[in-house]
Each structure stands twice: as structure tokens, then as C-alpha cells.
Amino acid sequence: MKRNIVIAAVTAAALIGGGTATALATTGDDQGSARQAATTQLSNDDVRDDQDDAGDRDDRDDAEKTVSADVTASEAIASALKHTSGTAVSAELDDEDDSAKVVWKVDVLSGDNTWHSVSVDPANGKVLGAHTDDEDDTAQVRAALKGSSVTAEEAAKAAAGKGVVTSVDLDEDGKDKSWEAETRTSAGAEKDWKVDLASGKVTADRSDAQDDDADDADDQD
């Protein structure tokens, strides 16, 4: 009886302190089982803590990559258009082929309705490469841009007043067509914006705010 009490006390102390406890004894199968259970529990907790820390580090790394880019979204678009003539429809700061290297990816629709994906170095603005893509919304994009006076480059410049622009994309669906821009702060906070196709006015994306409110309500539940 006394041996079991000692083991329980050691196990409880280890769980509270976050360390690893080892109970020493010369006999008793119950004691060994208790020691193994305590060690297993602590090991699992350590693994979960390590995974959480790794996730936090990844988020911080993404934020650091974003704010450390020397070439802005508007500059990346300008560089892409010098390489491939046409109309820039989107630009995004993203991983290159799921590798650690981050590049600007700019989608350009040329005059013959060919889509081009142009990669731009965020450090110096040099074009790293380009290839053609197959898209099925060419007609929608042309219709949305007809009569508009604000380009993707200009939309990126306008949104830059709200933070570091990480992407700008044409929203050609629905009634209120516009440029959509995403910004990120040095702390990693993201925000979505709409840029008017005619005036260049920047407003908060209300659908994004509604999604945030819904997420907060779910967390409270």
C-alpha cells in the first residue's frame, strides 16, 4: 500500500511540473505499470507541445518572409509585364513548387487570350521563369475588366497603404466586381480588402469580416 502511494505522488508531481519522473523499486509489477503509464503520458504531452511550437514557428517564418520581401506586389507586376506583355490578373507571394524559396507569381492574360504564369524574384525583381497555363474563365475576366480604369498594379499600390500586400486578384464573379487584395502586418495578422475597378477606393472586405465573426462565435460555443 505504501509503495503505491509513493508512486502516485511521484507521478502527480511529474505531471504538474512538466518533467519526467522515474520511480525506483526492487519489486512489484503494479509499480512498473504505473511508472510506464506516467512516462507515456508525459512523452505524449511533450510531442504535442513540440508540434504546437513548430506550427508557431512556421507562422512566424511566413510572416518574416512576407515583410522581408524587397520587391512589392506592384513592382513584381510591372516586372512581369515587361517580360510578358498583356494584362496582369493576379499576383501572389507564394512558395515556389512547395519549396522553401518564396517568389512572386503573376498571372498575365495576353492579347491572344493565352494565360502566362510569371515567377519574379522578391529580392531583386528579376523574372525567374514563365510558362503558359490553361484557364477557363477568360471570357469572364475580359468582361469584368471591360471599362475598368484601375489595373492590378494600381490596385496593389492602393492596398499597400493598409499593410504589406501579399496578393492581389481579380474578383470577376458576382455583382460587385473588384480587385481583391490581402495584406499582412509584421506580426503576421492578415486582412482582406476590395479595390474598386473604377475609382481605386480601398474598403474592407465585408465577407472576410463576417467569416471572422462566425469563427469567433464558433470558438465561444
Side-chain angles (χ1 to χ4, degrees), residues 1-7:
M1 178 66 72
K2 185 180 295 185
R3 182 176 64 238
N4 292 336
I5 292 174
V6 171
I7 293 171

Side-chain angles (χ1 to χ4, degrees), residues 49-60:
D49 290 341
D50 290 342
Q51 291 173 341
D52 292 340
D53 291 342
D56 292 340
R57 284 194 298 271
D58 288 342
D59 291 341
R60 288 194 297 270

